[in-house]
Each structure stands twice: as C-alpha cells, then as structure tokens.
Amino acid sequence: ETGVTQSPTHLIKTRGQQVTLRCSSQSGHNTVSWYQQALGQGPQFIFQYYREEENGRGNFPPRFSGLQFPNYSSELNVNALELDDSALYLCASSLGTGIQYFGAGTRLSVL
Amino acid sequence: AQSVTQLGSHVSVSEGALVLLRCNYSSSVPPYLFWYVQYPNQGLQLLLKYTSAATLVKGINGFEAEFKKSETSFHLTKPSAHMSDAAEYFCAVSVISGTYKYIFGTGTRLKVLA
C-alpha cells in the first residue's frame, strides 16, 4: 500500500461529457502528478501540481485540467470527452523530486 | 530528450528459470531509473530504483537491476521465476528540468509457465 488513494475506481461516460477524478496523496507529500495509461501502453505524463500550482504539463489538450488543494489532494478534470480518452488514469504523489508513489488508478471508459 | 525502450513486449519463462527484462534509456544528463510492476487491474508498484549510487540495485521480491552507462541499459533480472511474478513491468527514467516527471517504456508482460 502506497497511501495514495484514487476515486472512483471505475467510471463510464459518454462522448462529450465531463469527468472529475480525485486523488488523495500520501501523508507528507506536496506534489501530485497525473498520468494516462492507454490499453497496452506505458503511462504518459499529463501534468503535475506542486504546492497548489501547476508545475509542468505533457502533450495533452487544454480540456485536461487539474487542481491541487491546500491538503495536497488533487483533481483531474476532462471536458468534452472523446473515445480516445478511455484509459487508466494514475495519480502519483511525491515529496518534491522524491520517488513517485502511485495509486491504483481510475479506469475511465468513454462510450 | 530522455526516452526509454523496452525490448520485448511479451516474455515467457518457465517457473524457476532466469528472468531477464530489457530496458535501454536515452538521457542527456545522468539519469534516475526505475522499474515498476503492475498486476492486473492495479496501479504501479516500485520494484527498485537507481539514483547514481551503486550500479547494482537490489529491489523487492528478489529482483535486481544493473546500471550500465556504456550500454545505456538498466536490465531487470531475477534468478528464479515464480508464478506470482506474472505481471507487466515498466522501466522509467525521471526527468528533472523544472518539472519532475517520469517517462515510461511501453512495458513488458511477463508470463511464467508451470
């Protein structure tokens, strides 16, 4: 157990809808990173939050947005869902540039 | 730019045989390297990490990896495979340039045959 919890575990949405995924970071960690893992692929970096500020972004469109709260938990929001957004979304927490510890993920299916 | 290549998307070994999963990296700066394991319907679990100390790194569950700068490799090995080792394995390189992020390989699915 890493102490990183994600909710929900599974989600089914239809194309065009919006979704919010949640992540509680490990105690003492101030950095949260989000990754998208498509079927059969390695995780791809979406963005990172450090002390409530976005601290870098991967090659994802603006409809992917996030938030980090004062307790360092985080949300990933995706607007105007597309079929290709179907994936496992992983959250990882760390203390600054320390090792990233991953949650079990949220599996999103877009129909 | 950093990148990771994992050779072999699927590897099958017999129970008790040597496990060898290959990872090559590209990095313009001394890298930090990681191996993670993913069991079905689960997240990523850290197996081991290389952070510029000893080149032979020992991890959990009997796994180890050797950092070879001349070969830009960080292959994962285990002397004797167990049925419970069947999973997907990911090699990753970390990048610290403003944003601290991981770049993952495409993964190797390990199958252990009885």
Side-chain angles (χ1 to χ4, degrees):
Chain A
E1 290 292 327
T2 63
V4 180
T5 58
Q6 293 186 242
S7 62
T9 54
H10 294 85
L11 206 48
I12 299 175
K13 292 286 188 178
T14 56
R15 195 169 49 180
Q17 285 189 310
Q18 178 266 342
V19 69
T20 297
L21 311 182
R22 296 179 174 82
C23 172
S24 292
S25 57
Q26 187 168 314
S27 178
H29 286 183
N30 55 15
T31 304
V32 172
S33 305
W34 287 91
Y35 294 82
Q36 180 196 64
Q37 185 180 14
L39 200 60
Q41 301 295 317
Q44 299 288 319
F45 176 74
I46 302 175
F47 46 56
Q48 181 181 89
Y49 280 83
Y50 171 68
R51 294 186 175 181
E52 302 179 58
E53 297 287 332
E54 187 176 290
N55 184 43
R57 188 178 184 90
N59 189 26
F60 282 82
R63 58 190 186 83
F64 284 78
S65 63
L67 206 55
Q68 187 178 32
F69 300 99
N71 66 355
Y72 301 133
S73 65
S74 177
E75 285 182 355
L76 164 65
N77 299 289
V78 187
N79 293 322
L81 284 166
E82 301 178 0
L83 297 179
D84 284 349
D85 296 333
S86 296
L88 180 67
Y89 288 84
L90 295 165
C91 163
S93 78
S94 61
L95 180 60
T97 58
I99 293 169
Q100 294 187 5
Y101 293 92
F102 287 80
T106 294
R107 186 164 297 282
L108 173 64
S109 298
V110 182
L111 307 178
Chain B
Q2 282 78 3
S3 66
V4 171
T5 302
Q6 290 185 243
L7 296 175
S9 58
H10 292 81
V11 170
S12 293
V13 300
S14 298
E15 191 174 20
L18 171 72
V19 175
L20 170 61
L21 305 182
R22 300 177 187 275
C23 172
N24 288 88
Y25 70 90
S26 171
S27 177
S28 56
V29 299
Y32 286 2
L33 295 160
F34 307 83
W35 276 100
Y36 282 85
V37 61
Q38 186 175 39
Y39 296 100
N41 301 314
Q42 294 189 25
L44 302 176
Q45 180 183 0
L46 180 67
L47 275 177
L48 49 81
K49 63 185 186 296
Y50 167 76
T51 56
S52 74
T55 56
L56 182 62
V57 181
K58 293 188 184 298
I60 63 171
N61 301 337
F63 285 94
E64 62 182 37
E66 186 172 7
F67 173 72
K68 292 187 177 181
K69 184 178 178 181
S70 61
E71 298 177 9
T72 61
S73 68
F74 189 58
H75 301 332
L76 182 71
T77 60
K78 182 174 180 177
S80 177
H82 192 273
M83 297 297 286
S84 61
D85 295 327
E88 184 114 30
Y89 292 80
F90 292 95
C91 181
V93 61
S94 69
V95 179
I96 301 178
S97 56
T99 304
Y100 176 60
K101 64 182 180 183
Y102 287 12
I103 295 174
F104 287 87
T106 52
T108 297
R109 184 168 297 278
L110 176 66
K111 186 174 182 179
V112 181
L113 307 171

